[in-house]
Amino acid sequence: MLAIGSLAYATGPDFEKYMPELFKYLEMGLQNFEEYQVCSVTVGVVGDICRALEAKILPYCDGIMTQLLKDLSSNQLHRSVKPPIFSCLGDIALAIGPDFEKYLMYATPMLQSAAELSSHTEGADDEMIEYTNALRSGILEAYSGILQGFKSSTKTQLLIPYAPHVLQYLDSIYKGKDM
């Protein structure tokens, strides 16, 4: 799978011709909760493919986003996969720009819930603090991709309702002790 991500990145938009067949395997990887490392690698490959194909990934986004959001909602998936999923959401948003609008109402509550979870670290052990910091990083990468994806469009006003939460989250990180 890692080689696929590298190949996609190296060949750029020409990689699009392989997507109809590859998409089946990406879906299987994203659904593989039992072998969470496979799911994690697949999430990384999806991010690589988004960066390589940019807007040409759009025909596959409904399936990818559906599975990523299911993964985030799952209690069965190992928690270590969730920070890279948030980062991948940012890759998708950056790749498809304002077309990410249709996913905002689903992705932002997930980001907000994870942000809330990551702001409570009092009394956590080192492992939990490390996970929380990875989660924070993934959330920030998601917000960054979303903001950059919308920046040159006429749809930036769609982000205004989310601005207070993003700013509050940044403030809570700034004030946090466990960074």
Side-chain angles (χ1 to χ4, degrees):
M1 275 292 193
L2 288 174
I4 292 170
S6 299
L7 178 63
Y9 200 70
T11 59
D14 293 336
F15 190 78
E16 179 186 13
K17 62 186 172 192
Y18 302 109
M19 281 302 294
E21 188 63 30
L22 178 60
F23 182 68
K24 299 178 227 173
Y25 296 99
L26 293 175
E27 279 189 314
M28 287 190 299
L30 292 174
Q31 294 169 2
N32 195 341
F33 291 1
E34 296 79 32
E35 298 175 60
Y36 68 90
Q37 298 92 339
V38 171
C39 187
S40 183
V41 169
T42 305
V43 168
V45 169
V46 167
D48 290 344
I49 291 171
C50 287
R51 287 188 296 279
L53 293 182
E54 296 177 339
K56 291 182 179 180
I57 193 68
L58 192 56
Y60 305 96
C61 284
D62 283 351
I64 291 169
M65 286 296 297
T66 297
Q67 193 54 53
L68 290 175
L69 294 172
K70 282 182 185 177
D71 289 354
L72 286 172
S73 299
S74 172
N75 291 329
Q76 296 174 326
L77 184 62
H78 195 274
R79 71 179 187 185
S80 67
V81 183
K82 296 188 180 190
I85 291 174
F86 285 116
S87 181
C88 188
L89 294 179
D91 292 334
I92 293 168
L94 189 56
I96 65 173
D99 288 318
F100 194 79
E101 173 188 358
K102 70 189 282 186
Y103 308 115
L104 269 178
M105 63 187 280
Y106 305 106
T108 50
M110 295 285 194
L111 286 164
Q112 291 171 344
S113 294
E116 179 65 27
L117 176 72
S118 74
S119 65
H120 302 291
T121 58
E122 293 96 32
D125 60 14
D126 289 345
E127 183 181 332
M128 187 60 173
I129 291 171
E130 185 177 331
Y131 170 72
T132 300
N133 285 335
L135 190 59
R136 288 174 178 166
S137 179
I139 293 165
L140 291 172
E141 288 174 13
Y143 280 135
S144 176
I146 292 168
L147 293 171
Q148 289 180 59
F150 278 83
K151 77 176 176 184
S152 59
S153 81
T154 58
K155 297 182 177 183
T156 54
Q157 75 279 5
L158 296 171
L159 302 177
I160 291 172
Y162 306 108
H165 183 270
V166 173
L167 293 173
Q168 181 183 9
Y169 181 59
L170 291 172
D171 187 54
S172 74
I173 291 173
Y174 176 73
K175 292 177 180 175
K177 300 176 185 106
D178 296 322
M179 284 299 288

